[in-house]
Amino acid sequence: HMDATTPTTLTASTSTDIEKVARSFIRAQPFSEQISCSISAVVRDGLRWNALGMDFSGVVRKRKHMQKSHRAHQLDPDIADVMKHYMHCVACWPLVQFDFWSRYHPMRAVAPLSKYDKQFIQFQRVGFAKFVDLGLNIDALEAAARRALSGQQRSSAVVAMERLPELEPLISSTEILQLASAYMGSDIKVTGYKVLRLGSELRTHEYRSGYWHHDGCGTRLKMFIYLQDVDNATGCVTEIASGSQDMFFYQYGRVGGVRFTSEYVKHQYTVERMTGRRGGGFIFDTNTVHRGNVEGPHSGRDAIILNIESLRKLRRPLATRGPCPEPESYPVHNVTYRFRGRPRGLQSGLG
């Protein structure tokens, strides 16, 4: 972990140094007999960890009996012991419990029944799903977004928060709401959206989200709608560490100054670039390690970002002090969807 003001000064040995510090920290912790037994048990059953956090998905798969305990909203005792031992934010424990229960809800473990279900399984596996064409009137939507951004600088990162009626068919799309609810394992609510412009002269040191990070509030979803083609030639591509959505991070809450080096992330994960065509986009879990890459020469990029939250989290505020729900957004009211398990018959635009 590091402050966002320092990554550019780090050397090529950074990932090794971070790993050494992390291992030294772990070894230095006072271990009771109970926590020692719990750590040994989850390591034996498939715990994976690195300097950023821990992934218990292998343990969950092996301990199939956990599905019964989830009906009572209870964590496996060994997993709970290990999480609490390494957690830096005691006030975030309710968030971690709820996310863990939702992520491994028994209704999310049903075998796929159609090709669309298989795409949903991929979403669960990697933490994102791309859309080739969202079926919007993209010309009208782009024109409305440009009006909202009129007068804003083209060289920096700017946000516009205005109502976009052209976006409403997507906001109320049953297929999208169903996919989001099934992924999150809970009732969901669309909370708002914004237009984000990343200018052609924007550089990483001016854009905090240009460094690798997670959003500090556990599982939630953001959906990007592209207003221009975004590819490797144009740059300004969002990058996601594939599979990192299942991480239990050592720190949640106010993580605005916590960023990870590019070298370490690329060493630990396969990095996927969210390229796409105008009118398409992607949806992803902000619990993934991700960044908006503005390194090197790049074109400007305009995108609309839709925020989707767990309804239960919104009704029962959790002490995370993170950016959830997103503060800079045009609010959406009365768009919710009840969790019904795995989606059926999702549209073929998912890719």
Side-chain angles (χ1 to χ4, degrees):
H1 296 75
M2 62 215 68
D3 189 273
T5 60
T6 60
T8 54
T9 67
L10 298 173
T11 66
S13 63
T14 298
S15 65
T16 302
D17 294 341
I18 292 175
E19 202 71 55
K20 287 180 179 178
V21 170
R23 291 183 182 278
S24 297
F25 168 77
I26 290 172
R27 293 192 186 103
Q29 301 304 298
F31 290 101
S32 66
E33 182 176 352
Q34 179 179 341
I35 188 63
S36 297
C37 291
S38 294
I39 292 173
S40 297
V42 295
V43 169
R44 180 192 64 228
D45 286 348
L47 172 69
R48 296 183 297 169
W49 72 93
N50 58 30
L52 312 186
M54 300 180 174
D55 182 347
F56 293 91
S57 56
V59 182
V60 174
R61 284 192 295 269
K62 184 166 184 178
R63 300 185 178 189
K64 295 180 180 179
H65 69 274
M66 287 179 63
Q67 293 187 9
K68 297 179 181 178
S69 67
H70 277 94
R71 296 191 184 102
H73 291 219
Q74 297 174 349
L75 263 67
D76 177 276
D78 288 335
I79 292 176
D81 285 346
V82 174
M83 282 184 170
K84 288 180 178 179
H85 187 73
Y86 291 107
M87 178 181 287
H88 290 189
C89 174
V90 176
C92 300
W93 181 238
L95 176 148
V96 171
Q97 285 182 299
F98 176 77
D99 273 358
F100 195 88
W101 180 86
S102 298
R103 185 173 297 144
Y104 300 111
H105 193 291
M107 288 294 289
R108 298 179 83 224
V110 179
L113 300 177
S114 71
K115 65 179 182 180
Y116 306 117
D117 284 337
K118 290 179 181 178
Q119 289 174 323
F120 171 68
I121 293 225
Q122 183 183 25
F123 186 15
Q124 282 190 299
R125 181 173 59 84
V126 298
F128 65 86
K130 290 185 177 182
F131 298 81
V132 177
D133 186 349
L134 290 164
L136 295 165
N137 183 340
I138 192 62
D139 291 334
L141 183 59
E142 182 181 5
R146 287 186 179 277
R147 287 193 297 270
L149 289 166
S150 62
Q152 302 277 17
Q153 298 183 32
R154 290 185 172 272
S155 60
S156 58
V158 294
V159 170
M161 298 172 286
E162 294 186 17
R163 180 170 176 256
L164 301 173
E166 298 82 0
L167 188 63
E168 290 174 7
L170 179 65
I171 293 173
S172 59
S173 166
T174 300
E175 291 86 0
I176 296 299
L177 295 173
Q178 189 180 41
L179 174 66
S181 174
Y183 176 86
M184 297 185 78
S186 67
D187 299 347
I188 55 122
K189 175 179 173 62
V190 179
T191 58
Y193 57 83
K194 64 185 176 184
V195 185
L196 174 66
R197 168 171 288 168
L198 300 182
S200 59
E201 298 178 21
L202 183 67
R203 295 296 178 260
T204 305
H205 70 274
E206 303 170 307
Y207 182 52
R208 180 175 291 182
S209 294
Y211 296 106
W212 288 100
H213 65 284
H214 66 91
D215 282 7
C217 49
T219 299
R220 69 160 176 171
L221 301 178
K222 282 187 177 181
M223 186 171 189
F224 277 60
I225 301 97
Y226 285 146
L227 302 180
Q228 300 95 21
D229 290 351
V230 177
D231 55 35
N232 293 326
T234 61
C236 254
V237 180
T238 298
E239 296 179 328
I240 297 175
S242 179
S244 59
Q245 75 282 355
D246 287 333
M247 291 295 287
F248 158 73
F249 295 99
Y250 301 124
Q251 185 172 347
Y252 289 92
R254 187 172 291 140
V255 295
V258 178
R259 295 297 186 261
F260 313 123
T261 63
S262 183
E263 184 221 3
Y264 188 79
V265 171
K266 292 178 179 179
H267 176 72
Q268 293 290 319
Y269 300 98
T270 299
V271 172
E272 299 288 349
R273 294 169 63 81
M274 298 296 105
T275 55
R277 300 297 300 273
R278 176 176 179 264
F282 65 97
I283 189 170
F284 80 109
D285 186 343
T286 66
N287 196 61
T288 57
V289 177
H290 59 279
R291 70 169 178 173
N293 188 348
V294 292
E295 293 178 350
H298 57 81
S299 302
R301 185 197 77 184
D302 296 341
I304 297 170
I305 304 177
L306 188 66
N307 303 310
I308 304 174
E309 309 268 356
S310 162
L311 193 56
R312 186 179 175 196
K313 280 186 181 180
L314 293 172
R315 288 172 174 169
R316 181 186 174 189
L318 303 174
T320 65
R321 306 182 305 281
C324 306
E326 198 81 14
E328 294 184 329
S329 298
Y330 180 85
V332 172
H333 302 288
N334 303 319
V335 178
T336 62
Y337 193 86
R338 185 173 181 179
F339 175 55
R340 296 179 176 89
R342 181 172 305 287
R344 302 288 195 272
L346 293 177
Q347 61 185 18
S348 56
L350 281 172

